[in-house]
Amino acid sequence: MILLVLVIPLHSQQAQEKDLCSQLVTLVERDQQYRGTNDIIADHVNQVLDSLIQAKGLTPQQFEALPAQEQGPTKQLAIKIAGQQMKPIITNDSLAQLKLALDLENTKTLIDLVQKHGWLTSKNLGCSQSSKTVLIFRHAPKVYWEQVREIIENEKAANRISGYEYYVIDNHLKGRPPMTKKYADFTNE
């Protein structure tokens, strides 16, 4: 009997965490539904990278033989250029309206989840699938900004949100001025 009393709550907690994981994954998948492009970014990055390597007078094999620190800036430039070449999915007002409707629904859902459970990420829940929950609040419509601000301030005070997540969401709530920090600036967390 004592064993059942100990096992049942543990099983219930694991089921709840699995459900939260699937909710987070669904939110992020929906968030990206009308964002991005129909193109595959890897194809563009590889084409640009090949071109940059050739412009440096190197063969692909010579470039791969370079230390990672020397390859990094060229790879980052390839990603930046490739991203500029890609055409967005949103090309008309009806798709933009669908995106806004999803953003409204996703933001409200995440607000409710965070108010009930605290800051949620796939990492702190131990989810098998990775999900960037931060994207939901990064795309929060203005109507929810006050609530999102309150949440991130509370979560920061409780030390449940990473500095990077806070920074990215805070930037959005300030109207997206140029970001002066990168993810690497927050790796000490």
Side-chain angles (χ1 to χ4, degrees):
M1 185 68 113
I2 294 173
L3 186 58
L4 281 176
V5 170
L6 295 173
V7 171
I8 291 174
L10 179 62
H11 177 71
S12 176
Q13 180 182 356
Q14 289 171 338
Q16 179 183 2
E17 286 179 358
K18 185 177 179 184
D19 182 52
L20 286 172
C21 288
S22 96
Q23 286 182 42
L24 292 181
V25 168
T26 299
L27 283 175
V28 173
E29 286 173 355
R30 289 180 47 182
D31 177 76
Q32 294 300 301
Q33 189 171 352
Y34 298 112
R35 287 187 165 79
T37 74
N38 289 323
D39 300 330
I40 299 171
I41 191 160
D43 294 342
H44 288 279
V45 171
N46 290 334
Q47 290 172 354
V48 173
L49 184 58
D50 288 344
S51 182
L52 291 173
I53 291 169
Q54 186 178 17
K56 289 181 176 280
L58 300 172
T59 67
Q61 295 79 15
Q62 290 170 322
F63 181 77
E64 287 301 318
L66 293 173
Q69 298 92 338
E70 291 182 40
Q71 291 180 21
T74 304
K75 288 181 176 180
Q76 289 298 320
L77 181 58
I79 291 169
K80 182 178 180 179
I81 293 170
Q84 293 170 348
Q85 293 177 346
M86 297 176 72
K87 294 175 179 53
I89 289 175
I90 302 292
T91 56
N92 64 45
D93 288 341
S94 62
L95 288 177
Q97 289 303 314
L98 290 172
K99 182 182 73 146
L100 176 60
L102 277 176
D103 287 346
L104 286 164
E105 189 176 329
N106 282 346
T107 302
K108 176 65 175 133
T109 300
L110 188 58
I111 287 170
D112 293 344
L113 288 171
V114 173
Q115 286 175 337
K116 185 174 181 181
H117 302 284
W119 188 250
L120 299 170
T121 65
S122 55
K123 183 179 178 181
N124 71 13
L125 286 172
C127 301
S128 59
Q129 285 184 282
S130 176
S131 63
K132 293 184 169 45
T133 313
V134 67
L135 291 177
I136 306 304
F137 284 164
R138 175 75 178 172
H139 299 144
K142 230 176 198 176
V143 68
Y144 286 117
W145 283 12
E146 190 175 313
Q147 284 179 278
V148 171
R149 169 63 65 200
E150 184 179 333
I151 285 173
I152 67 169
E153 295 301 334
N154 290 340
E155 295 303 308
K156 181 180 178 185
N159 210 22
R160 291 186 293 242
I161 188 171
S162 74
Y164 175 73
E165 292 169 316
Y166 178 88
Y167 175 71
V168 168
I169 297 167
D170 176 65
N171 173 268
H172 173 66
L173 300 178
K174 290 178 177 173
R176 295 191 178 210
M179 295 178 77
T180 58
K181 295 181 182 179
K182 298 176 184 154
Y183 178 74
D185 295 330
F186 296 92
T187 57
N188 293 338
E189 300 181 336

